[in-house]
Amino acid sequence: MITVPIAVLGLLLAAMGFSAWKAHAIEQEFPNHGELLDVGGYSMNSLHLPAGSDADLPPIVFVHGAGGNLRDQETAFRPSLEGRAELLFLDRPGHGYSERGGDQNGFPDGQADAIARLLEARGIDRAIIVGHSFGGAVVASFGLRHPDKTLGLVFLAPATHPWPGGVDWYYELAAQPYIGWLFTRTILVPAGLMRLDQATKSVFDPNPRPSEYLTHGAPALAVRPRNFRNNAIDVFNLNGYAKRIAPEYSRIKAPTVIISGNRDGVVAEEIHSVGLSLDIEGSELVWIDQCGHKPDYVATEVAVAAIEKIAGRDRNLDAVAATLDVRTAKAD
């Protein structure tokens, strides 16, 4: 007779084997199309697109949000901006195909420093830095810590300020030592894949998720055990970090635009976007009516106009936003 402990061990080993196999299958489906560069003892992955011969904008760097990778922002912005500027789409440390590095990369300031070193490795002196969601916290830290490399900042539905409450239970569990490691290598992968379709729809809600987002944005990469655990640590650490750092945002002097949907169900726009607009003197807050947490996709033209405005063009962002015909999803 098989004893209960041996049976449990067998189930755990089977779950770990399935998770490892599935993570490899995801990587086969979505292989790395960036380039790994050393940023001080570990490598960061990025996709670098040189400026065209008739480029009219300065370099632009894109920082993805929680559970994302460089393909997310590449899919949103490459069609509009390729050739117009030197573009850098990156995997934050521990995400996509970037290595994690040290414990400092569990916080936005460590990731901002890593991005600064990546810019140096790419030969980019100064750039407009664009960040979505959690990437907004990294961009804010970049503006604080590396003003010499910052031409301007664009925040898209940012998560930058402390909020009441905590994080989802699965993030809290995955972030824990030992048990988090086991959770992400057994239960998480099959459960995460089953929820991926609905979870990505929820991020876009109330707007429809683009039909090819699951393939072009490759969100399945975030379900791999190591990536999910790194993401969970990032999210778990963010509130405490924001409590320490948000009072410093008033020191940011770079030209700043904040673009936020007024129906964001992921982050509280009245805390984060409004907070940033109050903290950063001279910043401009642009509201997108009927938009959820993905203005990078729903209001791409407003974000591009914001980049152009920071680059010195005459752009009325509220007028551009007013021309949008934002679609909302029909109930299933």
Side-chain angles (χ1 to χ4, degrees), residues 24-79:
H24 178 71
I26 291 170
E27 290 173 353
Q28 294 295 109
E29 184 176 2
F30 304 107
N32 184 19
H33 70 300
E35 180 184 8
L36 288 160
L37 293 178
D38 182 80
V39 292
Y42 62 97
S43 295
M44 277 188 68
N45 188 54
S46 61
L47 175 65
H48 177 255
L49 302 178
S53 58
D54 57 349
D56 62 335
L57 294 171
I60 311 167
V61 177
F62 294 89
V63 185
H64 64 81
N69 65 85
L70 68 82
R71 291 178 187 240
D72 180 58
Q73 296 298 283
E74 178 199 359
T75 300
F77 289 105
R78 183 172 182 174

Side-chain angles (χ1 to χ4, degrees), residues 89-113:
F89 301 95
L90 59 89
D91 289 333
R92 291 190 287 108
H95 299 263
Y97 285 93
S98 285
E99 296 175 351
R100 182 60 159 179
D103 290 344
Q104 74 277 6
N105 287 337
F107 299 89
D109 54 357
Q111 296 189 19
D113 291 346

Side-chain angles (χ1 to χ4, degrees), residues 264-322:
D264 193 331
V266 177
V267 303
E269 66 272 16
E270 68 276 10
I271 293 175
H272 304 277
S273 294
V274 172
L276 268 181
S277 70
L278 295 173
D279 290 339
I280 303 176
E281 185 177 359
S283 62
E284 183 174 359
L285 174 57
V286 184
W287 290 107
I288 310 300
D289 189 36
Q290 301 296 308
C291 177
H293 190 56
K294 293 293 280 179
D296 43 345
Y297 283 76
V298 176
T300 310
E301 52 265 64
V302 181
V304 170
I307 291 168
E308 292 171 339
K309 185 170 185 176
I310 288 174
R313 300 288 190 87
D314 183 15
R315 292 288 184 266
N316 184 328
L317 302 185
D318 287 329
V320 176

